[in-house]
Amino acid sequence: MPTITVDKAALFRELGRESVSWESHLLCDRIITDFRYTTEQFDELCFDFGIELDEDTSNSERPITNGKQEPAQLKIEVPANRYDMLCFEGISRALNVFLGRSKSPDYRIIAPPDGEVQVITVHKETSQIRPYVSGAVLRNIKFDQDRYDSFIALQDKLHQNLARQRTLVSIGTHDLDTIKGPFTYEALPPEQINFVPLNQGRQMNGKELMQFYETRNVFIEITATDKTKVEVVNNILVCMFSQYTEEPFTVEPVKIVSPHNGGSRQAPDLAPRETQADIPYINDCCGLDLSAEEICRLLTRMSFQATPSKTSRDLIDVQVPPTRADVLHQCDIMEDVAVSYGFNKLPKTFPGRSGTIAQPLMINKLGDIVRLETAMAGWSEVMPLILCSHDENFAWLNRKDDGKTAVKLANPKTAEYQVVRTSLLPGLLKTIRENKHHSVPIKVFEVSDVAFKDLSLERKSRNERHFAAAWCGKTSGFEVVHGLLDRVMLMLKSAFITHEEGLEGSSVDGYWIEEADDPTFFPGHAATVHVRLNGKSSVIGIFGILHPTVLQNFEFRYPASALEINLEVFL
């Protein structure tokens, strides 16, 4: 989970828990009263709200910079999907609403003073780089050193977290007083892009830096490869720092002109999302018996606006603020009800009935059946990694890569993990290689997934459940592997079809084998496995004695045989 570091004194001051001094006329003295949280009290508050206090640096030695000791800090862990709590402003605002010290802000879009909305025109060429754009203007914002540092830190956190190191979203903030629209978003060669570096070529102290960056109007532009994330980042950024504008929680919109991809619109959209939650569902999950009004009051502490539904007594209408991109389902609303009520206050009861109705997927159940039968036949199961090198998947098995089969890693860290395996054989053969000091024969098997490219699917790839086994010993073991195939097929209720039974035109279901010419196996000592189910025939696998070059590639000292079949045809 992300860890956010905040100034302890500043946070307690925002929460109304700070040291105050007052004059005593009776004692003629100044009395200081400390209303601050103790570490234990604040830790308990964090737990109640669903975050965690990781460290309080006031109890440890802090560095001294320029003769001044670093102020005490609190390091707070927040949930990875709570993007609204990645900065000081978000944490203090959420805790204040939770404590009832303030109401959830009403974020509003307002017109510019001159009535002219800033425009960003998107060129079609940007579709190949970052096709989506959003923006906003924070007018008459008041920055100081701490606020500016928090503004920059939030952008860094969003880049690291939601934006995946700027691969999905990139944020740009500019002094609107020094630039003038309308703006265009273009894709140009690097040599045609000129800009002035921010450091201006000279060193500046903190005061000079603040004077240099002092601005009253901030223009925000955000480019992204993800349509949803670009709006989430924009909403989080402007909502967090709109509290410092002259009219708090107001934002000026930006007009996006992008006709080529249907992206023309006005951004940001700060209207709350309207949804509904089921009261019996919330009560059943929490073990409570709350009324609609009680649930609405609890949700108010979590920055929601909720009212009993006018259409059903079992529903509540919920308005989700633009800062809560993590709320996707009513289970998220139920969780916030539990947080607001207090996890420690929830009734502790032993469930009278099972809370699940799950059952194994058919492919997993089939794999378990094959796995059990093979183990009972005396074979040892192995579980190698799904990634392997390109050579292990192709060249070492005497196979060629047509470029349309294997899913390849774009930026592999090592040569050992370059592709997602298209066969279980490399993992089995590597396992035997690393255990060749054991006594022979070595009999290993695996039931797991392989992956193939499939451009017809959304993800452009698909998984396929395979069963594979390998034998290595002083003899080839061909008959042993063949016997294992017969046992597995018998267990799958697929009988062996003899030549007479499988005459052309016959509709008898079962399986048979035919001689195969595969470079992975020794010529004349390999066979494909055919199966007919419900009158439909297909090739499901192959087995045979491994070719000598394959044995050499994997450093085998003894002959070996292998088998691999596709299990998904039996579903």
mmCIF file of all heavy atoms in Angstrom, residues 36 84 150 186 282 440 493:
data_model
loop_
_atom_site.group_PDB
_atom_site.id
_atom_site.type_symbol
_atom_site.label_atom_id
_atom_site.label_comp_id
_atom_site.label_asym_id
_atom_site.label_seq_id
_atom_site.Cartn_x
_atom_site.Cartn_y
_atom_site.Cartn_z
ATOM 1 N N ARG A 36 -3.383 17.815 21.411
ATOM 2 C CA ARG A 36 -2.938 16.930 20.347
ATOM 3 C C ARG A 36 -3.202 15.463 20.676
ATOM 4 O O ARG A 36 -3.265 15.073 21.839
ATOM 5 C CB ARG A 36 -1.448 17.129 20.085
ATOM 6 C CG ARG A 36 -1.106 18.485 19.476
ATOM 7 C CD ARG A 36 0.382 18.649 19.317
ATOM 8 N NE ARG A 36 1.072 18.568 20.614
ATOM 9 C CZ ARG A 36 2.386 18.674 20.768
ATOM 10 N NH1 ARG A 36 3.152 18.846 19.710
ATOM 11 N NH2 ARG A 36 2.927 18.613 21.960
ATOM 12 N N ASP A 84 -7.705 9.422 -3.523
ATOM 13 C CA ASP A 84 -8.014 10.707 -2.911
ATOM 14 C C ASP A 84 -7.254 10.927 -1.610
ATOM 15 O O ASP A 84 -7.326 12.019 -1.034
ATOM 16 C CB ASP A 84 -9.519 10.807 -2.647
ATOM 17 C CG ASP A 84 -10.005 9.689 -1.735
ATOM 18 O OD1 ASP A 84 -9.625 8.532 -1.957
ATOM 19 O OD2 ASP A 84 -10.772 9.981 -0.791
ATOM 20 N N SER A 150 3.159 19.760 -1.611
ATOM 21 C CA SER A 150 2.111 18.748 -1.622
ATOM 22 C C SER A 150 1.518 18.592 -3.019
ATOM 23 O O SER A 150 1.188 17.484 -3.445
ATOM 24 C CB SER A 150 1.011 19.122 -0.621
ATOM 25 O OG SER A 150 -0.008 18.150 -0.594
ATOM 26 N N GLU A 186 -0.311 17.959 -30.120
ATOM 27 C CA GLU A 186 0.223 17.451 -31.377
ATOM 28 C C GLU A 186 1.278 16.376 -31.125
ATOM 29 O O GLU A 186 1.875 16.306 -30.050
ATOM 30 C CB GLU A 186 0.836 18.593 -32.188
ATOM 31 C CG GLU A 186 -0.075 19.787 -32.401
ATOM 32 C CD GLU A 186 0.627 20.919 -33.123
ATOM 33 O OE1 GLU A 186 1.630 20.634 -33.824
ATOM 34 O OE2 GLU A 186 0.197 22.074 -32.983
ATOM 35 N N ILE A 282 -26.542 -4.862 2.795
ATOM 36 C CA ILE A 282 -25.614 -4.212 3.725
ATOM 37 C C ILE A 282 -25.758 -4.807 5.115
ATOM 38 O O ILE A 282 -24.766 -5.133 5.790
ATOM 39 C CB ILE A 282 -25.866 -2.689 3.745
ATOM 40 C CG1 ILE A 282 -25.498 -2.075 2.397
ATOM 41 C CG2 ILE A 282 -25.069 -2.022 4.866
ATOM 42 C CD1 ILE A 282 -25.832 -0.609 2.276
ATOM 43 N N VAL A 440 17.515 -43.231 -11.940
ATOM 44 C CA VAL A 440 16.562 -43.377 -13.043
ATOM 45 C C VAL A 440 15.758 -44.657 -12.832
ATOM 46 O O VAL A 440 16.212 -45.578 -12.141
ATOM 47 C CB VAL A 440 17.318 -43.408 -14.393
ATOM 48 C CG1 VAL A 440 17.962 -42.061 -14.655
ATOM 49 C CG2 VAL A 440 18.373 -44.504 -14.409
ATOM 50 N N LYS A 493 -12.994 -41.820 -19.878
ATOM 51 C CA LYS A 493 -14.087 -42.545 -20.545
ATOM 52 C C LYS A 493 -14.024 -42.386 -22.056
ATOM 53 O O LYS A 493 -15.035 -42.169 -22.733
ATOM 54 C CB LYS A 493 -15.442 -42.092 -20.014
ATOM 55 C CG LYS A 493 -15.645 -42.365 -18.534
ATOM 56 C CD LYS A 493 -17.012 -41.955 -18.058
ATOM 57 C CE LYS A 493 -17.173 -42.271 -16.571
ATOM 58 N NZ LYS A 493 -18.511 -41.883 -16.053
#
